[in-house]
Amino acid sequence: MKWSEHTWQAIEPKYQSILEMSFIKELSDGTLPLEKFKFYMAQDSLYLEHFGRTLSLIAAKIPDLQHVLTFMRFAENAIVVENALHELYFTDFGVTDKGTLQPACHHYTHFLRSTAALEAVEVAVAAVLPCFWIYREVGDYIYKHQNAINNPYHKWIETYGGEEFSIAVDQAIAICDTIAEKATEETRNKMTEAFIMSTRMEYHFWEAAYELKIWK
């Protein structure tokens, strides 16, 4: 069994709990309060900026040159998407200021950046994978289960269906499996731990948006 298959089995209950979240259900059927969606969108924009920088750091450390190029493209795409959010959807939904990193986003981005800076590159690659993989799977779920009639978030949901992003996710998974094959058992265990931690962070990111969690 590949590392990715084994690790996905480990987080399957957590993934199912994400699908059952009120934020996901209400986004799908169009009943999510606008205030919560705007909070999510602003935090997501801030997250992508830090995520892009983390991917750049991984690109600088990963040994294989093809993997270097792939992660450089990942980093570029993260920044491009962040800019698109700011220029297109912020206007559509009346967001004028991204604000600052709130607790869940702050925790997630700093976990990724510290992992990329201080841990083995194999662990860093595993830590960023949930943002690719879980986001795709949840996005596909929302896309398939959406209420497309008078859903104010329909245009946003349509962005989940992109084939280009799905290809990038497959590339990220394949890179993780390749480096896991060459890694020691200890490193593979650390990769799995990092993947599980980021999966938890994915859950709390959506939870924070629904509950509007800010610094006290």
Side-chain angles (χ1 to χ4, degrees), residues 14 193 195-205:
K14 295 179 178 62
E193 290 172 4
F195 187 94
I196 291 172
M197 179 59 73
S198 288
T199 300
R200 294 191 183 107
M201 304 265 187
E202 289 285 324
Y203 179 95
H204 288 295
F205 194 94

Side-chain angles (χ1 to χ4, degrees), residues 122-139:
E122 294 89 347
V123 180
V125 170
V128 298
L129 184 57
C131 185
F132 288 93
W133 198 355
I134 291 178
Y135 193 85
R136 179 182 68 181
E137 299 306 315
V138 173

Side-chain angles (χ1 to χ4, degrees), residues 32 37 58 81 92-93 102-103 127 148 167 198:
L32 182 69
F37 182 74
I58 292 173
V81 170
D92 288 350
F93 290 101
Q102 297 301 333
I167 292 172
S198 288

Side-chain angles (χ1 to χ4, degrees), residues 11-199:
I11 61 95
E12 180 67 32
K14 295 179 178 62
Y15 170 67
Q16 291 300 323
S17 70
I18 290 174
L19 297 184
E20 296 168 3
M21 297 182 78
S22 297
F23 185 95
I24 302 302
K25 292 181 177 179
E26 293 178 18
L27 178 64
S28 299
D29 63 27
T31 61
L32 182 69
L34 180 59
E35 181 184 17
K36 296 180 179 182
F37 182 74
K38 289 167 69 173
F39 181 98
Y40 164 78
M41 190 163 49
Q43 290 298 295
D44 193 41
S45 179
L46 291 168
Y47 170 87
L48 286 170
E49 177 185 338
H50 288 272
F51 188 61
R53 295 177 184 274
T54 301
L55 295 171
S56 296
L57 182 54
I58 292 173
K61 297 176 67 176
I62 201 164
D64 186 278
L65 285 179
Q66 288 303 314
H67 295 167
V68 171
L69 292 173
T70 300
F71 269 86
M72 288 174 66
R73 287 193 292 268
F74 289 165
E76 180 184 14
N77 288 338
I79 302 301
V80 167
V81 170
E82 190 278 327
N83 287 333
L85 284 175
H86 191 274
E87 294 176 6
L88 297 176
Y89 295 102
F90 276 31
T91 300
D92 288 350
F93 290 101
V95 177
T96 57
D97 182 13
K98 290 188 289 187
T100 60
L101 291 171
Q102 297 301 333
C105 186
H106 180 277
H107 193 181
Y108 196 0
T109 57
H110 281 68
F111 168 70
L112 294 179
R113 293 181 70 171
S114 63
T115 301
L118 301 175
E119 298 289 346
V121 70
E122 294 89 347
V123 180
V125 170
V128 298
L129 184 57
C131 185
F132 288 93
W133 198 355
I134 291 178
Y135 193 85
R136 179 182 68 181
E137 299 306 315
V138 173
D140 286 347
Y141 177 86
I142 293 172
Y143 184 81
K144 292 174 183 176
H145 293 84
Q146 68 172 307
N147 167 29
I149 302 175
N150 296 323
N151 187 334
Y153 310 117
H154 175 67
K155 183 178 177 182
W156 172 275
I157 292 170
E158 287 295 311
T159 64
Y160 285 124
E163 182 180 353
E164 185 177 351
F165 178 65
S166 185
I167 292 172
V169 175
D170 289 339
Q171 290 176 325
I173 295 171
I175 290 173
C176 268
D177 282 332
T178 296
I179 63 177
E181 287 179 4
K182 302 175 183 178
T184 65
E185 182 177 359
E186 180 182 4
T187 297
R188 285 194 295 271
N189 289 338
K190 288 183 177 180
M191 290 173 67
T192 300
E193 290 172 4
F195 187 94
I196 291 172
M197 179 59 73
S198 288
T199 300

